Amino acid sequence: MVGWILKKILGSKNQRELKRLAPIVRRINELDEQFKGLSDDALRAKTAVWKEELSKLPDPEEQRRRLEEILPEAFAVVKNGARRLKERQHSFTVCDQPMTWDMVHFDVQLVGGMVLHRGRIAEMATGEGKTLVATLPLYLNALTGGGAHLVTVNDYLARRDAEWMGQLYTFLGLTVGCIQHDQEPNERRQQYAHDITYGTNSEFGFDYLRDNGMATTREQQVQRGYHFAIVDEVDSILIDEARTPLIISGPATVSTHQYDKWKPLIEQLVRKQNMLCNRLASEALEKFEQNDFETAGRLMFKVKLGQPRNKQLLRMMEDPDKRRAVDKAELSFFQDTRKEELFQLKEELFFTIDEKSNDADLSEQGRVFLNPDDPNAFVLPDLISEFTEIDLDPSIPDEEKDKKKTERQQHCDAQAERIHNISQLLKAYCVFEKDVQYVVEENKVVIVDEYTGRKMPGRRWSDGLHQAVEAKEGVQIDRETQTLATITIQNYFRLYQKLAGMTGTAETEANEFHDIYKLDVNVIPTNRPIARKDANDRIYKTRREKYNAVINEIKESHARAQPVLVGTVSVESSELLSRMLKRDKIPHNVLNAKFHMQEAEIVARAGQPGTVTISTNMAGRGTDIKLGPGVANAGGLMVLGTERHESRRIDRQLRGRCARQGDPGSSRFYVSFEDDLMRNFGAADRMTRIMERFGLEEGQELEHPWLNKSVETAQKRVEQRNYLIRKRTLDMDDVMNNQREVIYTYRNEVIDSEEPRTLIYEVIDEAVPAKVKEYLDIDEPNHTGLMNWVNTTFPLGLTKEKAAFETRDDEGSGKFLIERIKEAYERKSSHEEPTAVKSLERYIILNAIDRLWQEHLYAMDALREGVYLRAYAQKDPLIEYKAEAYDMFVELMANIKNEVLHNLFRSTSNLQAFENFLSSLPQFLLREQEPPGSNISGRARQPQPAHAIAAGGENGGDGAGELSVDLPARRSLPKVGRNEPCPCGSGKKYKNCCGRVA
């Protein structure tokens, strides 16, 4: 009560913050009036003066203070520039469409600009001109020369806004760039070099990954820093897309999938399950007619486990008594005392489906159907036990033991691959629906974004799921992919020194924005009061009744020439409504993932008299719907939602499509108990009781503000669940992010280094002593092992007697080896082409980093998937993940250094240089003496394979003099048979002459 009174007296936190900005708004408008007397050149000159002044302030803190000082004047310059363009009716083309500039900043837009400049999120209602608002902070922050980025949701909006707002920036003397999907690296670099750059979140993120994880020279990198970014539709990008990390993949080296082989069997299995569930549903119906509700409820619960979308089940769930029987059976089986009964119930099916977690699980009956002859087909062998048995079996020779272990390992891998393929195929058939989660285009499966309804070409589900769906649809199965580089959306945007965002709906997610991105939300008041009327939800028992009611509402509105925008949650729903409207001969436009290209055009026309537009829920964001003539008198645009979305924020976005800038408009949502949200998370029991109490008949609806609250409660449950998923994704990726920063910093250091040899010598200085310690700092020092490692890695030609490791301590041995390795490397480098040496040295390090980092990413993926099982041992998976990830990273860094050492003498700028290097080394044969008259040339100088570089040295290989290399004895003449004449010319047979000595 006290808080309510204080709020009434003092205003909310948001109101107080906006009140503090009011004097600055007045100051901006005063300066705008003053600038009216300036010439265009004088106005543009201010930009040049500020840019020069800020370029002389290297300290970011000083730059920030100076930007705050010039903010009113800079905002006034932008507003004045917009005014001049409007007064002159400046005409131009945007995306090949003619346009005329007709915008000047309102006071609320100036407030929005200040909120964005201060690194916050500005929530502004649809139609309030967010695109124009962004020009203010982008202009101000671009003056520093560090680059200002505007991030939006698709390529079309990026291009449109860059060309549209670019008129104002160019007029004021700034340059504008735009990143598009199909641009080449050189063109991208030019776009990033501009003062202001527009692009999509995925393009910015993938450019970061390519620059830091794949580029090998500074010229191949396109980005130039992370100074300031505004994220348009910030909720869509930072929340909706944050559950899926950005991944750059390459084809895996081997492809072992068996989807084609198992597809026919899985199809048969799914058909058998459908027949079983239909039979069970028919039996349940008979039991209901006999008033045996307990048995019927049990049967229907079994159907729900095996086929949640079974049509008979959904029809029965419309009846309150039958719904209660199913719910009662479900609750009783989930009691601790009946766990075994629940397990037995599941075993009576071929598989069970969990819609909430998008998972499908085979039962024993299903496993027998797929592999009737092999009871262990779905059991992974215990390799540790089997390896132990092999090691302890005295009857198996040592050389056979390794062979048997390899066989068991291969058997285990094949078994795991089969289980995985079957699991993913089952999921593809039972959980993933065509035209809901994906569409098929041009012989390819294209994922549909569950929030925006937009197609996501190029994106693939991981872990073989995409290939399973491809097999199901009978399209080309692409090769498995391997992760080359990855980052989450959250961690990419946290790279920016200052981040801001704007959207029409952020308040409901304010806590998440603050917790993850440290972004506060300010709600900006509208320029004119909102005139939209939000009606209560209408709730029906079945989808059929709901869709009929929607069609009737559309007919009524269409008859009075009122435009209607119908929002759906899936492509499937939008096409169903389209068929129903065609049947009633009502003209309409459909906008879903299948008609993505016409998005902005269809949405822009949605306000014309009598227009009916069916759209997936968030399509057309960023495009204003302007009302046609006479529409305001007919009630403005009507928005109808055919289903409540999982997130309240998405529903608010759909409502916000109408009633822009004070226009009239109305909205209403239609809900049924068959909707996924209500089935999985809704308070179905309470709703059923209400419907019973009122005795509702076919086609009747419930409508009351209390019911709206009940639906919102279900949405809050899903929002909390999805937030925890995003939070856990981020917690896991924070570990990877720390590792990624170390690796990418090291890569960039290599790329930028003028003298990469110093980095190679650093690796030698660190890795060699570590190896010495590994071999010698143990109970029984392994001098032979160390010498073998040295001689197989470097051409030092050390021998046991002359290396004298026994006479030195560990530190002395390390110094001795480092000195010899550097001498050898200097000699090798002297034979390389001088211009190519630095590039070769960079390549040696970068190749080691990239190859091992990719392997590390693969191992980390496997760890992330498996670590959740440790929760069964009462261990926190996150803590376990962090501990193991750290150990793996330490091992990775050591492996990178060893890989660099391994490749140091196995890489060359050209083959001739390598041959010259080998020729310069004193060489001797593996035999101590060359027999007289033999046909073997001890002067062979052919370049040798790596394993041939072995022990030896000048004067018998003393290990302390010149570098040397052993070469195998090679014949310079054809082989001479034992009974052939000796080539020395003695006339004797070879076996009685030189051959006797040989």
Side-chain angles (χ1 to χ4, degrees):
M1 186 69 184
V2 175
W4 181 84
I5 294 169
L6 287 172
K7 198 171 183 180
K8 282 290 179 188
I9 298 169
L10 302 175
S12 66
K13 180 172 181 280
N14 189 67
Q15 289 168 334
R16 293 196 301 274
E17 287 182 1
L18 296 180
K19 201 172 181 180
R20 281 197 286 269
L21 298 177
I24 305 176
V25 172
R26 287 195 293 272
R27 177 62 181 151
I28 293 168
N29 288 328
E30 289 168 8
L31 289 166
D32 175 38
E33 286 296 320
Q34 293 175 22
F35 292 161
K36 284 180 181 177
L38 295 177
S39 67
D40 289 354
D41 290 338
L43 194 69
R44 265 192 292 272
K46 288 184 172 293
T47 303
V49 169
W50 284 327
K51 283 185 81 172
E52 187 178 352
E53 180 188 344
L54 287 163
S55 67
K56 294 174 181 175
L57 297 175
D59 182 29
E61 193 59 34
E62 288 180 26
Q63 282 188 347
R64 190 187 63 78
R65 279 197 297 269
R66 182 59 184 146
L67 288 178
E68 283 294 330
E69 290 169 8
I70 66 172
L71 183 146
E73 201 172 345
F75 277 26
V77 165
V78 179
K79 181 172 181 177
N80 196 266
R83 188 188 305 284
R84 294 181 188 214
L85 292 177
K86 183 179 179 182
E87 287 169 354
R88 294 166 193 177
Q89 294 188 331
H90 175 66
S91 58
F92 51 97
T93 58
V94 172
C95 297
D96 304 320
Q97 297 294 318
M99 287 190 72
T100 302
W101 189 278
D102 63 346
M103 298 179 295
V104 182
H105 303 78
F106 300 129
D107 286 357
V108 290
Q109 290 175 316
L110 298 175
V111 172
M114 285 186 276
V115 167
L116 292 173
H117 168 69
R118 284 166 187 178
R120 295 178 182 178
I121 291 173
E123 179 179 301
M124 302 180 73
T126 301
E128 289 297 303
K130 291 186 284 290
T131 308
L132 185 64
V133 170
T135 57
L136 298 160
L138 284 173
Y139 170 83
L140 180 59
N141 287 273
L143 296 172
T144 61
H149 297 165
L150 188 128
V151 187
T152 188
V153 290
N154 64 31
D155 273 353
Y156 168 77
L157 289 179
R159 182 185 163 198
R160 186 202 72 177
D161 293 353
E163 291 180 6
W164 190 9
M165 298 299 117
Q167 305 297 317
L168 180 55
Y169 300 130
T170 308
F171 178 77
L172 295 173
L174 292 180
T175 57
V176 187
C178 178
I179 305 296
Q180 294 284 286
H181 178 68
D182 53 359
Q183 286 174 341
E184 292 297 318
N186 285 338
E187 192 177 353
R188 284 174 180 267
R189 193 177 307 105
Q190 290 166 13
Q191 303 306 316
Y192 280 113
H194 291 305
D195 296 315
I196 296 165
T197 306
Y198 283 73
T200 64
N201 58 305
S202 55
E203 291 302 319
F204 282 117
F206 286 137
D207 281 340
Y208 166 78
L209 291 176
R210 281 188 286 263
D211 279 4
N212 292 277
M214 302 174 79
T216 55
T217 63
R218 177 53 69 191
E219 290 70 34
Q220 290 175 1
Q221 296 181 322
V222 297
Q223 292 186 334
R224 63 186 182 105
Y226 311 96
H227 171 58
F228 175 68
I230 296 176
V231 182
D232 192 10
E233 309 299 0
V234 66
D235 55 320
S236 174
I237 290 172
L238 297 192
I239 290 182
D240 297 339
E241 296 193 24
R243 281 195 284 176
T244 310
L246 296 174
I247 297 171
I248 292 182
S249 301
T253 49
V254 288
S255 183
T256 56
H257 75 78
Q258 303 163 5
Y259 296 111
D260 291 334
K261 175 185 173 184
W262 293 104
K263 177 188 171 182
L265 275 172
I266 294 294
E267 280 184 341
Q268 288 179 42
L269 185 71
V270 172
R271 274 199 299 273
K272 284 181 79 72
Q273 175 101 331
N274 292 347
M275 290 164 62
L276 173 63
C277 289
N278 288 335
R279 182 167 54 77
L280 290 170
S282 301
E283 288 175 18
L285 204 56
E286 291 175 12
K287 295 294 181 185
F288 276 129
E289 289 170 359
Q290 297 166 11
N291 287 327
D292 186 355
F293 277 76
E294 186 176 342
T295 307
R298 182 181 185 279
L299 288 167
M300 290 314 297
F301 174 54
K302 196 194 292 190
V303 174
K304 187 178 178 181
L305 287 173
Q307 201 180 8
R309 296 192 183 111
N310 182 280
K311 289 180 181 176
Q312 291 188 68
L313 169 69
L314 294 176
R315 272 200 296 274
M316 286 190 212
M317 296 294 272
E318 296 167 16
D319 185 299
D321 291 334
K322 293 171 184 172
R323 174 186 282 275
R324 191 184 300 111
V326 176
D327 291 343
K328 188 176 179 183
E330 184 172 358
L331 285 170
S332 68
F333 274 110
F334 279 109
Q335 293 172 5
D336 285 347
T337 53
R338 301 192 68 182
K339 277 186 177 178
E340 286 187 17
E341 286 181 69
L342 177 62
F343 176 74
Q344 288 167 3
L345 190 76
K346 288 180 177 180
E347 287 301 309
E348 292 169 18
L349 297 162
F350 289 99
F351 54 85
T352 55
I353 298 171
D354 185 348
E355 279 194 302
K356 288 185 184 179
S357 61
N358 273 358
D359 215 352
D361 187 30
L362 273 176
S363 67
E364 186 60 34
Q365 192 179 173
R367 290 191 278 269
V368 169
F369 174 80
L370 292 172
N371 270 84
D373 303 325
D374 185 359
N376 293 321
F378 291 88
V379 179
L380 284 176
D382 183 356
L383 285 180
I384 295 175
S385 301
E386 291 189 6
F387 283 4
T388 306
E389 285 175 17
I390 292 170
D391 286 334
L392 296 177
D393 190 341
S395 64
I396 304 174
D398 288 344
E399 59 272 14
E400 280 290 311
K401 287 181 178 179
D402 288 340
K403 189 177 175 183
K404 282 190 174 291
K405 285 181 182 178
T406 305
E407 287 173 2
R408 297 311 300 159
Q409 180 70 58
Q410 289 171 348
H411 171 70
C412 179
D413 291 346
Q415 195 96 320
E417 184 73 32
R418 180 171 64 250
I419 294 169
H420 178 70
N421 286 176
I422 289 170
S423 170
Q424 296 295 52
L425 270 173
L426 197 60
K427 201 184 291 187
Y429 272 92
C430 301
V431 180
F432 286 78
E433 287 189 54
K434 184 181 177 182
D435 290 341
V436 179
Q437 283 99 341
Y438 65 92
V439 292
V440 177
E441 275 186 359
E442 298 175 0
N443 203 33
K444 286 190 178 295
V445 169
V446 181
I447 300 174
V448 173
D449 189 300
E450 64 176 304
Y451 291 99
T452 64
R454 293 189 175 101
K455 288 179 294 188
M456 299 192 289
R459 292 264 183 110
R460 289 176 66 81
W461 287 303
S462 60
D463 210 24
L465 177 60
H466 206 96
Q467 290 164 294
V469 175
E470 287 171 335
K472 168 191 168 185
E473 294 298 336
V475 302
Q476 177 187 332
I477 302 176
D478 290 337
R479 274 178 65 183
E480 290 155 288
T481 55
Q482 179 181 337
T483 301
L484 304 181
T486 177
I487 191 171
T488 56
I489 295 285
Q490 295 107 315
N491 275 321
Y492 172 70
F493 283 108
R494 294 200 302 193
L495 292 169
Y496 281 90
Q497 296 170 26
K498 185 161 66 174
L499 182 65
M502 51 189 187
T503 179
T505 47
E507 203 175 11
T508 54
E509 312 290 347
N511 289 338
E512 183 168 349
F513 282 125
H514 180 76
D515 293 347
I516 292 177
Y517 302 98
K518 303 293 181 281
L519 288 172
D520 291 321
V521 177
N522 284 132
V523 181
I524 311 299
T526 55
N527 189 45
R528 295 175 185 165
I530 294 175
R532 185 182 70 237
K533 294 175 184 174
D534 294 330
N536 291 326
D537 293 1
R538 285 185 175 164
I539 301 174
Y540 296 84
K541 285 198 287 186
T542 68
R543 280 186 177 174
R544 185 181 67 257
E545 295 171 56
K546 176 184 76 173
Y547 284 133
N548 286 334
V550 170
I551 296 297
N552 290 335
E553 181 95 50
I554 292 171
K555 282 181 186 174
E556 291 173 15
S557 300
H558 185 65
R560 58 176 182 266
Q562 181 180 15
V564 181
L565 176 66
V566 185
T568 65
V569 296
S570 70
V571 177
E572 184 186 42
S573 304
S574 63
E575 295 192 335
L576 171 64
L577 277 169
S578 176
R579 287 195 297 272
M580 293 174 78
L581 287 172
K582 280 177 185 171
R583 191 180 61 203
D584 289 339
K585 296 183 172 53
I586 295 176
H588 59 280
N589 294 314
V590 180
L591 177 58
N592 58 36
K594 292 187 173 180
F595 306 100
H596 177 62
M597 298 303 291
Q598 302 96 335
E599 180 174 313
E601 188 184 339
I602 292 174
V603 171
R605 290 201 306 265
Q608 298 306 306
T611 304
V612 177
T613 309
I614 301 173
S615 150
T616 39
N617 51 53
M618 281 184 4
R621 289 184 72 170
T623 305
D624 275 349
I625 300 176
K626 295 181 181 177
L627 300 185
V631 170
N633 297 329
L637 177 67
M638 173 176 276
V639 169
L640 299 179
T642 60
E643 197 170 323
R644 281 282 196 167
H645 198 272
E646 285 186 351
S647 168
R648 291 169 296 161
R649 180 170 44 79
I650 310 291
D651 291 342
R652 286 182 63 205
Q653 281 155 4
L654 184 59
R655 286 192 198 276
R657 304 302 299 153
C658 65
R660 60 179 291 283
Q661 288 291 327
D663 289 341
S666 58
S667 71
R668 184 189 296 279
F669 278 88
Y670 289 76
V671 181
S672 84
F673 285 137
E674 293 180 2
D675 296 346
D676 290 345
L677 175 73
M678 301 306 292
R679 282 192 304 108
N680 292 331
F681 300 96
D685 283 347
R686 196 185 326 157
M687 296 281 195
T688 307
R689 283 197 298 272
I690 292 170
M691 297 189 90
E692 268 189 297
R693 198 175 300 144
F694 288 104
L696 293 182
E697 297 176 4
E698 175 82 18
Q700 283 189 287
E701 78 266 359
L702 285 173
E703 182 181 335
H704 196 279
W706 289 357
L707 294 177
N708 297 358
K709 292 284 183 189
S710 186
V711 175
E712 285 186 9
T713 301
Q715 289 176 307
K716 284 178 184 175
R717 287 191 196 121
V718 190
E719 285 170 7
Q720 184 62 23
R721 172 175 159 269
N722 289 343
Y723 169 63
L724 291 174
I725 292 171
R726 289 190 293 270
K727 189 77 170 66
R728 181 48 61 108
T729 301
L730 183 66
D731 288 341
M732 292 290 193
D733 195 65
D734 276 343
V735 178
M736 275 297 299
N737 198 47
N738 295 332
Q739 298 182 4
R740 188 187 301 111
E741 284 178 7
V742 173
I743 289 292
Y744 286 178
T745 303
Y746 187 26
R747 275 190 107 262
N748 285 326
E749 188 183 348
V750 174
I751 290 169
D752 295 336
S753 174
E754 290 296 323
E755 291 295 334
R757 188 167 304 183
T758 58
L759 297 174
I760 282 181
Y761 282 177
E762 281 177 18
V763 170
I764 294 171
D765 291 339
E766 291 170 16
V768 172
K771 273 289 180 186
V772 170
K773 198 172 182 182
E774 181 185 325
Y775 281 105
L776 304 185
D777 192 14
I778 49 179
D779 294 338
E780 294 182 14
N782 186 358
H783 298 109
T784 305
L786 176 60
M787 191 183 70
N788 289 341
W789 173 77
V790 171
N791 284 333
T792 53
T793 309
F794 314 105
L796 297 191
L798 291 181
T799 61
K800 186 177 179 181
E801 295 78 16
K802 305 302 179 182
F805 289 131
E806 298 89 343
T807 63
R808 303 184 185 90
D809 58 10
D810 294 355
E811 188 178 343
S813 296
K815 285 180 179 176
F816 164 72
L817 290 175
I818 289 169
E819 187 180 327
R820 297 298 309 285
I821 292 165
K822 287 181 179 178
E823 282 176 18
Y825 186 70
E826 291 293 343
R827 170 170 289 194
K828 175 182 176 291
S829 300
S830 67
H831 290 89
E832 300 283 358
E833 294 180 18
T835 54
V837 170
K838 289 184 180 179
S839 297
L840 177 64
E841 289 169 343
R842 285 194 190 93
Y843 172 79
I844 290 169
I845 304 176
L846 292 176
N847 185 56
I849 294 172
D850 293 347
R851 190 179 71 76
L852 293 168
W853 175 244
Q854 287 164 23
E855 289 179 9
H856 180 73
L857 289 176
Y858 185 78
M860 290 289 282
D861 280 346
L863 174 64
R864 190 183 295 115
E865 286 171 20
V867 79
Y868 289 105
L869 297 173
R870 304 200 187 174
Y872 292 113
Q874 305 301 311
K875 293 179 179 179
D876 185 338
L878 183 60
I879 292 172
E880 293 289 302
Y881 179 75
K882 286 179 176 178
E884 289 220 15
Y886 175 76
D887 293 341
M888 288 167 67
F889 187 69
V890 170
E891 186 180 349
L892 167 71
M893 296 308 290
N895 289 343
I896 287 173
K897 290 169 186 170
N898 290 332
E899 181 82 355
V900 170
L901 295 184
H902 182 266
N903 292 334
L904 207 54
F905 292 91
R906 290 171 170 80
S907 307
T908 181
S909 55
N910 65 57
L911 189 59
Q912 188 60 47
F914 197 58
E915 288 183 355
N916 293 343
F917 166 60
L918 289 178
S919 329
S920 71
L921 300 178
Q923 300 158 10
F924 67 93
L925 297 174
L926 291 175
R927 299 176 186 174
E928 293 195 4
Q929 288 185 344
E930 184 178 332
S934 79
N935 62 346
I936 298 171
S937 169
R939 312 290 296 170
R941 297 190 184 277
Q942 288 90 338
Q944 302 302 307
H947 64 266
I949 300 175
E954 188 181 40
N955 305 323
D958 65 7
E962 287 294 321
L963 299 167
S964 61
V965 62
D966 270 352
L967 297 179
R970 292 183 184 273
R971 298 181 183 86
S972 57
L973 299 171
K975 183 177 179 180
V976 181
R978 283 172 51 78
N979 292 314
E980 290 178 18
C982 186
C984 71
S986 64
K988 296 179 182 178
K989 287 184 179 180
Y990 176 63
K991 66 180 180 183
N992 296 324
C993 187
C994 298
R996 188 179 60 233
V997 182

